[in-house]
Amino acid sequence: QVQVVESEGGSVQAGGSLRLSCTVSEYAFDHYCLAWFRQIPGKEREGVARIDVLDDTFYADFAEGRFTISKVNANRTLVLNMNSLTPEDSGTYICAVGEKMFCLFALDDFQSWGQGTQVTVSS
């Protein structure tokens, strides 16, 4: 079973930055596609950013240029750095593991999910 454990989110004012992280089981971290999703009240879960086994990254349009997804190999940590945050970015952010090498944002591509962490951006 793949373990996905997220750190706490946080609160920030508009224009600020936050760093999210999650720790993933060793085999999954090295061999599977990893991603961040978010769930905003009243909206469907949506992909934010993903990184595949070749460290190729892909971002949702709203994240492009503001967010950066990366992997810290030393401690099997997936990181999402978020800059220029707006109140519209508030929601629950969820780390996900897809048991394949390459993926996009199809929910069916992901089998293991973190518990979610809250991000609040105030105006």
Side-chain angles (χ1 to χ4, degrees):
Q1 184 176 358
V2 176
Q3 300 293 319
V4 183
V5 182
E6 296 164 3
S7 63
E8 288 190 8
S11 298
V12 67
Q13 289 192 324
S17 300
L18 280 175
R19 179 182 185 271
L20 305 181
S21 64
C22 79
T23 303
V24 179
S25 302
E26 182 174 1
Y27 185 86
F29 186 85
D30 292 336
H31 293 88
Y32 294 153
C33 188
L34 309 176
W36 286 96
F37 285 76
R38 72 183 186 182
Q39 185 83 57
I40 296 174
K43 297 182 66 175
E44 294 185 354
R45 184 170 296 189
E46 60 182 350
V48 177
R50 75 99 173 98
I51 185 167
D52 65 23
V53 294
L54 298 180
D55 290 344
D56 180 67
T57 57
F58 180 81
Y59 297 90
D61 288 344
F62 64 81
E64 188 75 55
R66 298 191 300 135
F67 296 1
T68 302
I69 189 171
S70 61
K71 296 164 69 174
V72 180
N73 294 327
N75 52 9
R76 307 189 323 272
T77 299
L78 180 69
V79 176
L80 183 69
N81 284 301
M82 304 185 293
N83 299 314
S84 303
L85 286 162
T86 73
E88 289 70 36
D89 293 315
S90 297
T92 300
Y93 284 69
I94 309 156
C95 182
V97 178
E99 296 180 10
K100 54 176 65 176
M101 297 172 64
F102 308 104
C103 61
L104 289 175
F105 289 144
L107 296 182
D108 289 346
D109 284 349
F110 296 87
Q111 292 73 38
S112 301
W113 299 83
Q115 75 278 13
T117 188
Q118 183 65 36
V119 169
T120 303
V121 185
S122 58
S123 58

